[in-house]
Amino acid sequence: MLLMERVASVYLTDYAQELKRVGEVVFRRRYSAPVLIVTGRAAELVGERQSREVTMLSKPGGGDVKSLALMHRVFPIVKAPFSPRGPVLVGRTGDNDVAIPEYSISKRHCFFEFQPGEISIFDCGSTNGTLLDGQKLEPKKGTRLKGGEIVTLGRYAFMFQPADGFLQYVRGLLEQGA
């Protein structure tokens, strides 16, 4: 697997513009890793209680400023430079491979493990848990991903897409006029 560019594009619109500019062959070569796409607010944390209701925000224009900063962000699921071999760690701090700056996400929230032909997600025993399509994952028990699943980390819903699914998703945005 090639290393996906870590900084070049961060929002879906950036990727859509790049796909339009460079074409599918180059885009596929540049972005060969799976991604997490922020699709909306997943829960409101109120003290110790957490609502399971998912509010999908399709376009900027609603919600608070902090929420909008994460909306439509794309997080490549890749190892950080100089990171030791092993699974791809996801959490809110910079010592993770994928750092998502959101207080409701645990310091070390979940991880992705790559095996030939498959990707699995594991919860690290996070405070707010990891949900996959609304079902809470058991800590440290892997669940295989196919693509298109909604992964809930803290207050946010993320769509998981493998590299090919990400290309199709971005192509669909262009067809819709994004």
Side-chain angles (χ1 to χ4, degrees), residues 137-160:
L137 297 178
E138 289 183 42
K140 308 213 176 16
K141 184 178 179 193
T143 303
R144 187 174 180 187
L145 300 169
K146 298 174 196 152
E149 294 93 343
I150 299 298
V151 177
T152 304
L153 307 174
R155 301 183 312 148
Y156 287 88
F158 299 77
M159 180 186 299
F160 168 80

Side-chain angles (χ1 to χ4, degrees), residues 73-122:
R73 283 277 309 264
V74 177
F75 293 92
I77 303 171
V78 295
K79 292 296 287 177
F82 312 111
S83 197
R85 295 176 75 87
V88 176
L89 301 171
V90 178
R92 79 168 178 264
T93 60
D95 62 341
N96 289 286
D97 299 305
V98 179
I100 303 171
E102 164 54 29
Y103 76 90
S104 65
I105 294 175
S106 293
K107 289 178 185 177
R108 191 147 330 238
H109 201 99
C110 66
F111 65 90
F112 291 85
E113 190 172 83
F114 294 81
Q115 297 294 328
E118 99 178 35
I119 302 169
S120 296
I121 185 172
F122 296 74

